[in-house]
Amino acid sequence: MPPSPEHGSTSALVVEGGAMRGIFAAGVLDAFMAQDYNPFDFTVGVSAGATNLVGYLAGDYGRSYRVITDHACRPDFINWKRFLRGGHLCDVHWLWHQSFNDVRLNFDRYLQQQVPLWVGTTLVRSGEPRYYRIDERNLHDVFTASCSLPVAYRAFPEVEGEPMTDGGMADSIPVKWAYEQGARDITVVLSKPLGFRKKPARFPALMRPLFRQQPALYDVILKRAEDYNRTLDFMTSPPDDCRVNIIAPPPGFPVSRLTTQITKLDQGYRQGISAGNTHLEQTATPVPAAKERIEAHATEPDALAG
């Protein structure tokens, strides 16, 4: 498990998922990488938040931007016609494996550095969250499972023999989990602007037949908005012994869960770079050369497309 505090506060970085909205976190984490900023004792993410984090810990500047604006925009990933014929709307197995093959991930560097990545998934049989420390044995299974949104991905990937689904179902923003592991200085990267509150599912009775074989998962869906909003309350009013730093998209953030319009994705990435840069200016001493790289990519995301 993550380390307990021994001297001072244990620090954690928590990154929310959100499919294509992950372009914001991609920008934030690229800003962090550009300044070699990684003061965290452990990290935890779900879905797109987890895939962003592994690129960050591997030191692969721009990797998440490339994957989101290329592979995730292809019809191999999001395909409504395939969905209407009974296939996946979002083929996360293809996306993870194809991008892993095509866009270099320096996983050896991840294994050599000292900051662990924990990834959240949801147990289908119970609806409970399950967290895995990523290593060379489990990365493919866990990342596929954590990103597999129910219905949009018509399967439940197994991890260690257990059917799993999207980590955001049981714990969308695992900040409470980070606190329970001993973190007292927590930085959270959200995928929605501050002030957002999740609304209860509309017409829940219509969803019941979709989860006839997974009643515990259906129960999770019914109370997801309540749990999500309770987590937001925890972040904005944390316990007295904990500090939570929130990095969130600005109002009017243009990217939704399934946005594939490159101009909007580029704008969301720039906004992430800007938010990450602002956080760094408030918490760290800028490195001049790194700051120049941040500013360059904040205005020139095309430089990452090659």
Side-chain angles (χ1 to χ4, degrees), residues 14-74:
V14 178
V15 182
E16 184 181 12
M20 304 301 276
R21 287 194 296 261
I23 194 69
F24 176 78
V28 172
L29 297 180
D30 275 356
F32 286 7
M33 274 188 276
Q35 281 204 38
D36 298 320
Y37 179 76
N38 186 355
F40 308 106
D41 294 302
F42 67 93
T43 67
V44 56
V46 297
S47 191
T51 58
N52 271 312
L53 277 170
V54 74
Y56 165 65
L57 294 173
D60 290 322
Y61 187 96
R63 183 182 190 274
S64 292
Y65 173 88
R66 292 187 178 97
V67 172
I68 293 171
T69 58
D70 180 6
H71 289 74
C73 290
R74 299 182 193 179

Side-chain angles (χ1 to χ4, degrees), residues 211-277:
F211 297 97
R212 185 175 292 109
Q213 303 301 317
Q214 300 87 30
L217 191 56
Y218 178 71
D219 290 341
V220 167
I221 293 171
L222 290 184
K223 65 185 184 70
R224 190 179 178 211
E226 180 182 349
D227 290 344
Y228 187 93
N229 293 334
R230 191 179 295 118
T231 298
L232 294 177
D233 293 338
F234 178 93
M235 290 190 299
T236 55
S237 298
D240 291 340
D241 64 344
C242 179
R243 179 178 70 171
V244 177
N245 308 290
I246 301 173
I247 305 174
F253 183 61
V255 182
S256 66
R257 181 176 291 275
L258 297 180
T259 295
T260 57
Q261 187 176 336
I262 190 64
T263 55
K264 291 183 177 181
L265 293 172
D266 279 347
Q267 182 181 349
Y269 177 75
R270 291 190 187 97
Q271 290 172 333
I273 287 280
S274 178
N277 199 13

Side-chain angles (χ1 to χ4, degrees), residues 81-101:
K81 291 182 179 179
R82 179 180 62 206
F83 182 65
L84 293 174
R85 294 194 301 266
H88 304 303
L89 172 58
C90 300
D91 190 343
V92 295
H93 183 277
W94 175 88
L95 178 63
W96 169 256
H97 287 83
Q98 194 64 44
S99 62
F100 186 86
N101 291 333

